[in-house]
Amino acid sequence: MSFRIIDLFAGAGGMTLGFTDPRFGGGFESVWSVDNDLAATKTFAANFGGHVSCTDIDAWIRDGGSVPVADVVIGGPPCQGFSLLNKRRDGDARRALWQPFMDVVEQSGARVFVIENVAELRGSPEHELITMRARDLGFETVSGVLQAADYGAPQTRKRTVILGWRSAGASSPVFPPLPTHASPDRRSNLPAWRTVRDAIGDLPAPVGTEPRSIASPFNLHFGRNPTAKSVARYKAVPAGGNRFDLQRVAPEITPQCWIRKKSGGTDLFGRLWWHRPSVTIRTEFFKPEKGRYLHPEQHRPITHREAARLMGFPDDFVFVGSKTEIAKQIGNAVPPALASAIAQVVRDLLNEVQSKVAA
């Protein structure tokens, strides 16, 4: 049996993919999706069908828009309001977008909801407000901070997940989901975390600087057109190195702002490691100055295809839009492998409820 899902703030549909695609477990049918990014909704439609609305969900609810019946509502209200990268978090209107999400949960008659967001949500006042609203609607809730690499994503990405369910006699779900992979630093019988080499080690050097109308994966496997100084900087960073190595090896081409800043993150202008998962892929992964996004060996930042693989998207997933729009879709996505682990918990919960109702 297929359960009906609604995906809010869906972006490209990484979470829907983890719920619906048989390669990730399946068992769910997408009946409606919403996002206010036009390119992202076109990507969603290209992969899951036309039941997607490009709109502001808060305005949709206020204007009396129709919400279809569903078993599950999933989604990630925009995370920038919670993110530590946002220095003006207090008062950010995006913090309140969980409210129309819960309105859709109520109007759809859903029996389960899943909210995914940055790790900082777990300790925020909004976490308590969400659980209070869920309780008022008759839901029990559980939450945790999940590590995407523990579930097969070749990327270390920590996310808070809130799971809510109407019990209907069902026992509490197994949450967080049981890991499928383990850090190589821990003693475990599970397979080790998937690595950068596992995800992109088979790809040759990229060609060109724009998306191409050729077969995947090479349609998105393109590079940039860096200056000679940028290439020299790339070459100065050793395996696993970062901006501090650049400053040590080639101070004459190191930006002065980095020289003046003696402390700070060690991922800036860093190289990925072959033998580890990727760092968190963000929307500007094509800019090494934004994080550890240099290829492990080649003197360049990672490509869109490499970023998509490090997020866990299959090569046959279709992305629509400009290269900047596609980068945004990739960086904002939920790793499908993480979504799949959550989907398994939801599927077991709904199957148990279904069996009790049928008894």
Side-chain angles (χ1 to χ4, degrees), residues 35-75:
D35 200 279
N36 64 1
D37 183 310
L38 181 59
T41 60
K42 289 181 178 179
T43 290
F44 192 99
N47 292 280
F48 305 107
H51 43 273
V52 54
S53 301
C54 182
T55 187
D56 178 275
I57 188 60
D58 198 19
W60 179 279
I61 296 296
R62 287 198 312 269
D63 295 343
S66 176
V67 174
V69 173
D71 297 294
V72 188
V73 178
I74 61 177

Side-chain angles (χ1 to χ4, degrees), residues 103-181:
D103 291 339
V104 171
V105 171
E106 181 179 17
Q107 294 182 28
S108 67
R111 292 176 286 171
V112 177
F113 72 83
V114 176
I115 288 180
E116 175 272 348
N117 213 299
V118 293
E120 290 74 28
L121 170 61
R122 186 83 190 285
S124 72
E126 283 73 15
H127 182 278
E128 181 62 24
L129 292 172
I130 292 168
T131 57
M132 288 172 60
R133 174 74 189 282
R135 195 178 307 123
D136 290 343
L137 294 177
F139 285 85
E140 299 181 55
T141 59
V142 66
S143 67
V145 178
L146 277 55
Q147 168 59 268
D150 286 343
Y151 302 99
Q155 176 186 163
T156 53
R157 190 183 191 96
K158 290 185 176 180
R159 308 294 286 183
T160 287
V161 174
I162 303 175
L163 172 66
W165 73 98
R166 300 181 195 271
S167 62
S171 55
S172 296
V174 176
F175 193 89
L178 297 176
T180 59
H181 294 69

